[in-house]
Amino acid sequence: MSRFKLSIPLHFQILLALIAGGIFGYFLPEETKYTNWAGDIFLRGLNMIIVPLILCSITTGVASVGSSGNLGRLGLKTISYYIMTSLAALFTGLLLVTIIKPGVGAELGFVAPVEEISVASESFGQTLIKIIPTNIFEALMKGQMLSVIFFAILFGFFITRTNAKARNTMIDLFSAALDVIMEITLFIIKFTPLGIFSITAKVIAQQILSGNDVGEVFSRLGLYFLTVTAGLLIHGMLTLTLSVKFLGRANPIKHLKNMVTPLLTAFSTSSSNATLPLSMEAVEKNDGVSNKIASFTLPLGATINMDGTA
């Protein structure tokens, strides 16, 4: 006699964890100190694999693309797409803010001195120069993503310029390392619901324990919240959906369904970098995108394509 096995999809587990974490944090804020460790361990686990994942995936992707002509075409298409979506996000945000004016008349009491931002005093040229690392091991240690990406692209490109024996050895080495990292990723993904529960409970509990009424905070930030939500919905459901349909020539509904797990994780952690391993897994396994394309475009996009921020 066969056993009945209840299997809940991961995205439903994450959704339930979000709801349960919110309820737990609201009604039992003091007790969240016993569950905070789970969210901390989950985020540390994801952050642990980001730098090696980006290094190995981009190096493998660039080396697998082949000739400099193929790399140039892929790079041009990728950067052009990121610029196009970023401009669309900027236009959407400016339009909504001009129409809704969410900050007019709002007195939130959030007044704090702003320290001088060193990046703001640098020219665009200086910023570009600093992308080139003086010490790649220091860049890896400090998680300087743009420097890591620059080195990975350079390293992957010059792998293709070596002799066949060296080229095949290096590609096999980085491909094997990437396979190991993805296996670690799959292991960490299993604990996503527990991590999301802990993170959500902690955030809600912090508001309660600091004396803030969650409902009051949402009401005071109501117009801002609605503006941001409207912007995300327009960009996600219109701009990106049309790009998937006409540029990617794929089914937008199917793609959205395939990306539910990374989207819920991104919503909970507020980090595109932390969600990168899950995005790569979903794109390759569910959408059927080739590893060499996903390995190049996704790490680059997680670092420079900030549509939500725009």
Side-chain angles (χ1 to χ4, degrees), residues 66-73 157 160-161:
S67 66
S68 58
N70 290 336
L71 177 60
R73 283 191 292 273
F157 173 73
T160 65
R161 310 291 288 182

PDB file of all heavy atoms in Angstrom, residues 66-73 157 160-161:
ATOM      1  N   GLY A  66      33.108  31.872 -25.518  1.00  0.00           N
ATOM      2  CA  GLY A  66      33.988  31.613 -26.662  1.00  0.00           C
ATOM      3  C   GLY A  66      34.748  32.840 -27.107  1.00  0.00           C
ATOM      4  O   GLY A  66      35.482  33.437 -26.328  1.00  0.00           O
ATOM      5  N   SER A  67      34.548  33.233 -28.346  1.00  0.00           N
ATOM      6  CA  SER A  67      35.331  34.315 -28.946  1.00  0.00           C
ATOM      7  C   SER A  67      34.982  35.662 -28.331  1.00  0.00           C
ATOM      8  O   SER A  67      33.948  35.838 -27.696  1.00  0.00           O
ATOM      9  CB  SER A  67      35.081  34.359 -30.452  1.00  0.00           C
ATOM     10  OG  SER A  67      33.743  34.709 -30.726  1.00  0.00           O
ATOM     11  N   SER A  68      35.884  36.616 -28.557  1.00  0.00           N
ATOM     12  CA  SER A  68      35.657  37.974 -28.058  1.00  0.00           C
ATOM     13  C   SER A  68      34.448  38.605 -28.733  1.00  0.00           C
ATOM     14  O   SER A  68      33.751  39.429 -28.138  1.00  0.00           O
ATOM     15  CB  SER A  68      36.904  38.829 -28.300  1.00  0.00           C
ATOM     16  OG  SER A  68      37.241  38.859 -29.685  1.00  0.00           O
ATOM     17  N   GLY A  69      34.175  38.193 -29.978  1.00  0.00           N
ATOM     18  CA  GLY A  69      32.996  38.712 -30.675  1.00  0.00           C
ATOM     19  C   GLY A  69      31.712  38.283 -30.000  1.00  0.00           C
ATOM     20  O   GLY A  69      30.794  39.094 -29.810  1.00  0.00           O
ATOM     21  N   ASN A  70      31.628  37.006 -29.615  1.00  0.00           N
ATOM     22  CA  ASN A  70      30.441  36.506 -28.912  1.00  0.00           C
ATOM     23  C   ASN A  70      30.276  37.181 -27.560  1.00  0.00           C
ATOM     24  O   ASN A  70      29.171  37.546 -27.158  1.00  0.00           O
ATOM     25  CB  ASN A  70      30.545  34.992 -28.709  1.00  0.00           C
ATOM     26  CG  ASN A  70      30.411  34.221 -30.009  1.00  0.00           C
ATOM     27  OD1 ASN A  70      29.817  34.719 -30.963  1.00  0.00           O
ATOM     28  ND2 ASN A  70      30.966  33.025 -30.052  1.00  0.00           N
ATOM     29  N   LEU A  71      31.410  37.358 -26.847  1.00  0.00           N
ATOM     30  CA  LEU A  71      31.368  38.017 -25.549  1.00  0.00           C
ATOM     31  C   LEU A  71      30.924  39.465 -25.696  1.00  0.00           C
ATOM     32  O   LEU A  71      30.120  39.963 -24.905  1.00  0.00           O
ATOM     33  CB  LEU A  71      32.744  37.951 -24.886  1.00  0.00           C
ATOM     34  CG  LEU A  71      32.878  38.658 -23.531  1.00  0.00           C
ATOM     35  CD1 LEU A  71      31.921  38.057 -22.513  1.00  0.00           C
ATOM     36  CD2 LEU A  71      34.317  38.588 -23.021  1.00  0.00           C
ATOM     37  N   GLY A  72      31.438  40.126 -26.722  1.00  0.00           N
ATOM     38  CA  GLY A  72      31.069  41.523 -26.958  1.00  0.00           C
ATOM     39  C   GLY A  72      29.585  41.677 -27.250  1.00  0.00           C
ATOM     40  O   GLY A  72      28.941  42.598 -26.732  1.00  0.00           O
ATOM     41  N   ARG A  73      29.047  40.777 -28.068  1.00  0.00           N
ATOM     42  CA  ARG A  73      27.618  40.848 -28.399  1.00  0.00           C
ATOM     43  C   ARG A  73      26.758  40.588 -27.169  1.00  0.00           C
ATOM     44  O   ARG A  73      25.766  41.294 -26.929  1.00  0.00           O
ATOM     45  CB  ARG A  73      27.286  39.842 -29.509  1.00  0.00           C
ATOM     46  CG  ARG A  73      27.724  40.286 -30.905  1.00  0.00           C
ATOM     47  CD  ARG A  73      27.141  39.381 -31.972  1.00  0.00           C
ATOM     48  NE  ARG A  73      27.712  38.046 -31.914  1.00  0.00           N
ATOM     49  CZ  ARG A  73      28.834  37.682 -32.546  1.00  0.00           C
ATOM     50  NH1 ARG A  73      29.492  38.580 -33.268  1.00  0.00           N
ATOM     51  NH2 ARG A  73      29.294  36.455 -32.455  1.00  0.00           N
ATOM     52  N   PHE A 157      37.866  35.895 -19.910  1.00  0.00           N
ATOM     53  CA  PHE A 157      38.198  36.211 -21.299  1.00  0.00           C
ATOM     54  C   PHE A 157      39.580  35.679 -21.670  1.00  0.00           C
ATOM     55  O   PHE A 157      39.762  35.077 -22.736  1.00  0.00           O
ATOM     56  CB  PHE A 157      38.154  37.718 -21.527  1.00  0.00           C
ATOM     57  CG  PHE A 157      38.644  38.143 -22.876  1.00  0.00           C
ATOM     58  CD1 PHE A 157      37.876  37.906 -24.009  1.00  0.00           C
ATOM     59  CD2 PHE A 157      39.876  38.756 -23.026  1.00  0.00           C
ATOM     60  CE1 PHE A 157      38.328  38.282 -25.266  1.00  0.00           C
ATOM     61  CE2 PHE A 157      40.334  39.141 -24.270  1.00  0.00           C
ATOM     62  CZ  PHE A 157      39.555  38.904 -25.400  1.00  0.00           C
ATOM     63  N   THR A 160      40.185  32.001 -22.532  1.00  0.00           N
ATOM     64  CA  THR A 160      39.943  31.611 -23.929  1.00  0.00           C
ATOM     65  C   THR A 160      41.128  31.912 -24.826  1.00  0.00           C
ATOM     66  O   THR A 160      41.171  31.423 -25.967  1.00  0.00           O
ATOM     67  CB  THR A 160      38.708  32.341 -24.485  1.00  0.00           C
ATOM     68  OG1 THR A 160      38.962  33.760 -24.541  1.00  0.00           O
ATOM     69  CG2 THR A 160      37.488  32.095 -23.620  1.00  0.00           C
ATOM     70  N   ARG A 161      42.094  32.700 -24.346  1.00  0.00           N
ATOM     71  CA  ARG A 161      43.253  33.060 -25.168  1.00  0.00           C
ATOM     72  C   ARG A 161      44.431  32.117 -24.956  1.00  0.00           C
ATOM     73  O   ARG A 161      45.458  32.244 -25.625  1.00  0.00           O
ATOM     74  CB  ARG A 161      43.704  34.487 -24.839  1.00  0.00           C
ATOM     75  CG  ARG A 161      42.592  35.526 -24.841  1.00  0.00           C
ATOM     76  CD  ARG A 161      42.051  35.798 -26.211  1.00  0.00           C
ATOM     77  NE  ARG A 161      43.007  36.545 -27.025  1.00  0.00           N
ATOM     78  CZ  ARG A 161      42.763  36.949 -28.265  1.00  0.00           C
ATOM     79  NH1 ARG A 161      41.594  36.666 -28.829  1.00  0.00           N
ATOM     80  NH2 ARG A 161      43.670  37.621 -28.936  1.00  0.00           N
TER      81      ARG A 161
END
